[in-house]
Amino acid sequence: TNSNSFRVVMFPWLAYGHVSPFLELAKKLSTKNFSVYFCSTPITLKPIKNKISNYKSIELVEYPLESTPEFPPHLHTSNGLPPHLMPTLKKYFENASHNFSQIIKTLSPHLVIYDYLMPSWVPKFASSHQIPAVHFHIFGVANLAYFTCLVRDIPGFSFQSKTVCLKPSEIMKLVQAPRDNVEAEENELSDCIIGSTEMFLIKSNREIEGKYLDFAADLFKKKIVPVGPLFQEISVNNQENDEEIFRWLNKKEEFSTVYVSFGTESYLSKKGMEELANGLELSKVNFIWVIKFPEGEKINAAEALPEGFLERVGEKGMIVERWVPQAKILGHKSIGGFVSHCGWSSVMESASVGVPIIALPMHHDQPVNARLVVEVGFGLEVEKDENVEFWREEVARVVKEVVIEKSGVELRKKAKELSEQMKAKGEEEVDLAIKELKTLCENNL
Ligand code: BUP
């Protein structure tokens, strides 16, 4: 079945937000003369099997990692790897290094595409066998540059003056994750991110990140190739319940409603829930709010929301406690804003359907993404106090400014403009990126 010319091995990281763009890239490659070997743990690959049945040139390749009760196997894939387990997981990868070398030796690919969270010996092993390795960055390029400058002192570059600024307290939050050996880990990360890649593939585009694509090319002295947003195919599993959502949305006026979601890995604190709920209520703007709690936490939205909130907002608000078709909801004509944690996929999806963002970033890449949204001009950020907490009046102010007030018109105009540019250029971007990958393979034939 696998008769395409170029063999590519792909190593995504195990979390949903990483596997999903890798898989979308795999699908594109498989239609452009690549045979794709998509490698991950058996548990990660399991839910993917039926998603690729139409793609004969994608083969799933399993590598096992050992598990212990301390690190239950379901966490390999779940929506959200608890950060404190990262060092443990890295050790499992270390113990399984022979699996990777074996995969590369057996398949003798023309190209390896890897995630920056994979151990740096993955690209190094490929390079030592004359196989080009390419880092596919599933976040934006401003973020890539930001983190690189954080973990590596680069002469001549002062990050703060060149790219999006973070407040010192935000930087502290970003680097405070529990770690064993910070220096070794940072070296490993910068090695993996920059040292071993032939070029960078970035899940982004010129429309949103043109300036930073150039900045990063200058910074890394390597090719930086945007591959577009690589949206996942819209899932159809909850259709019956989804109808209820769209019936509710259909009753709302154009641009009158905000969609509220914090992605698959970020959760509000109890205080955060309260401030957001009260802020939405104060704004008097309609909202559909997707509420999630960390796995295993026995609490539901009704218990977590302020007393009487649901009764008070009535038809103005809809609370959903399960997976929803986000991209489809954002594209509904009633949606006038997206209250978002600014996960990279959310930012790209919002831009692609022309919906302005009300940014409430929490951690990881999100603060950088939020500043970018404001800079590009299709959103506003909710201000926070020195402890990086937000408050209800500020939430209400920004929601109103984006959805109701005149000033929001400019933001929507910019968002629409981005959406049109993205529609017009989308496929061309992917094609150009794939052409670059082919050149790498051909140079290596
Ligand atoms: Br929740 C939820 N439906 O109910 P981000 C999420 N999504 O389609 P994150 C749904 O998951 P990282 C739901 O459309 C987007 O494609 C959403 O990715 C989809 O945030 C994705 O926005 C969420 O990048 O991932 O989950 O925090 O931190 O890895 O960027």
Side-chain angles (χ1 to χ4, degrees):
T1 49
N2 242 339
S3 60
N4 283 350
S5 306
F6 302 115
R7 289 184 302 281
V8 55
V9 164
M10 296 181 86
F11 286 119
W13 181 243
L14 308 177
Y16 171 84
H18 296 243
V19 171
S20 164
F22 264 77
L23 189 62
E24 294 312 314
L25 178 62
K27 291 177 185 169
K28 303 270 184 210
L29 288 168
S30 75
T31 62
K32 306 271 175 183
N33 206 21
F34 280 87
S35 294
V36 182
Y37 298 92
F38 199 86
C39 310
S40 194
T41 62
I43 292 167
T44 310
L45 293 180
K46 206 170 160 210
I48 293 177
K49 279 196 184 111
N50 59 359
K51 292 189 186 162
I52 57 154
S53 50
N54 293 333
Y55 296 85
K56 299 293 174 235
S57 299
I58 304 179
E59 201 171 293
L60 302 182
V61 180
E62 295 181 349
Y63 61 78
L65 291 181
E66 71 178 288
S67 329
T68 68
E70 179 204 1
F71 190 84
H74 73 269
L75 288 178
H76 292 189
T77 57
S78 76
N79 301 334
L81 284 170
H84 68 278
L85 288 177
M86 283 290 274
T88 321
L89 192 51
K90 287 260 178 195
K91 275 191 206 110
Y92 288 142
F93 271 96
E94 226 41 73
N95 295 340
S97 62
H98 55 278
N99 290 337
F100 297 89
S101 354
Q102 198 53 48
I103 288 174
I104 294 177
K105 276 189 204 145
T106 314
L107 297 172
S108 88
H110 302 98
L111 182 67
V112 169
I113 300 182
Y114 68 97
D115 195 298
Y116 77 98
L117 286 176
M118 295 304 279
S120 65
W121 44 254
V122 168
K124 280 186 187 146
F125 183 84
S127 304
S128 72
H129 286 70
Q130 281 72 51
I131 302 164
V134 168
H135 164 192
F136 172 33
H137 196 63
I138 54 134
F139 300 122
V141 72
N143 164 264
L144 174 66
Y146 187 84
F147 277 91
T148 309
C149 294
L150 260 190
V151 299
R152 208 186 226 199
D153 198 14
I154 297 165
F157 279 99
S158 148
F159 185 81
Q160 296 284 353
S161 64
K162 289 253 180 189
T163 65
V164 201
C165 289
L166 293 194
K167 296 183 187 120
S169 52
E170 289 173 317
I171 296 178
M172 285 316 291
K173 273 206 163 180
L174 293 178
V175 295
Q176 258 170 6
R179 291 150 166 206
D180 294 347
N181 181 346
V182 177
E183 203 179 323
E185 207 179 297
E186 288 179 350
N187 285 339
E188 161 80 6
L189 197 63
S190 78
D191 242 19
C192 197
I193 292 180
I194 326 164
S196 317
T197 190
E198 292 283 328
M199 62 175 212
F200 294 88
L201 267 192
I202 311 275
K203 188 181 127 148
S204 188
N205 56 24
R206 285 229 146 249
E207 286 65 45
I208 296 182
E209 286 206 299
K211 177 174 149 198
Y212 297 106
L213 286 164
D214 296 337
F215 169 71
D218 196 21
L219 177 68
F220 300 127
K221 308 276 179 272
K222 285 189 184 179
K223 251 189 196 166
I224 313 272
V225 182
V227 67
L230 292 174
F231 295 131
Q232 57 189 338
E233 285 166 6
I234 290 174
S235 71
V236 285
N237 31 8
N238 257 314
Q239 258 172 345
E240 238 172 70
N241 295 333
D242 292 346
E243 269 174 29
E244 188 193 332
I245 294 177
F246 291 99
R247 262 201 305 277
W248 183 85
L249 287 173
N250 285 340
K251 286 190 233 148
K252 307 293 177 228
E253 280 177 31
E254 192 178 35
F255 307 143
S256 68
T257 305
V258 287
Y259 168 75
V260 187
S261 174
F262 296 87
T264 61
E265 302 187 336
S266 305
Y267 307 98
L268 289 173
S269 64
K270 191 171 176 337
K271 178 92 174 57
M273 285 274 289
E274 264 173 39
E275 292 306 307
L276 179 57
N278 288 316
L280 289 169
E281 188 183 345
L282 272 177
S283 77
K284 300 200 166 58
V285 168
N286 307 322
F287 61 88
I288 167 163
W289 183 359
V290 182
I291 298 186
K292 288 183 85 250
F293 298 99
E295 219 166 88
E297 227 168 77
K298 290 194 176 47
I299 183 167
N300 60 35
E303 288 160 1
L305 289 165
E307 227 183 296
F309 172 75
L310 291 174
E311 293 76 40
R312 286 196 301 277
V313 295
E315 265 298 296
K316 275 193 131 4
M318 180 171 201
I319 302 286
V320 194
E321 287 182 82
R322 56 174 172 78
W323 188 261
V324 302
Q326 172 169 307
K328 205 171 146 193
I329 294 177
L330 284 174
H332 191 276
K333 61 179 184 356
S334 65
I335 299 295
F338 180 5
V339 178
S340 173
H341 70 313
C342 292
W344 189 239
S345 299
S346 291
V347 169
M348 296 295 265
E349 281 161 16
S350 210
S352 79
V353 290
V355 169
I357 289 178
I358 295 122
L360 257 174
M362 294 189 207
H363 46 219
H364 303 132
D365 56 321
Q366 300 154 17
V368 175
N369 301 342
R371 293 314 121 79
L372 188 73
V373 164
V374 174
E375 190 189 86
V376 176
F378 68 109
L380 297 178
E381 187 174 341
V382 174
E383 206 181 299
K384 296 186 181 140
D385 64 19
E386 59 276 16
N387 300 319
V388 201
E389 303 285 353
F390 59 87
W391 63 96
R392 62 193 69 179
E393 289 81 7
E394 171 66 3
V395 172
R397 181 187 72 77
V398 182
V399 168
K400 280 197 290 194
E401 193 157 340
V402 171
V403 181
I404 306 177
E405 320 257 328
K406 268 225 172 80
S407 45
V409 174
E410 281 306 306
L411 300 169
R412 177 154 309 111
K413 208 170 120 196
K414 182 68 200 176
K416 287 278 172 234
E417 193 185 304
L418 285 173
S419 153
E420 273 149 32
Q421 288 167 334
M422 281 167 80
K423 273 185 202 114
K425 278 192 48 191
E427 280 309 306
E428 188 189 335
E429 207 146 43
V430 180
D431 287 349
L432 281 174
I434 291 182
K435 216 167 135 197
E436 293 284 351
L437 294 176
K438 279 189 178 161
T439 308
L440 271 185
C441 293
E442 274 157 2
N443 292 344
N444 195 40
L445 278 181

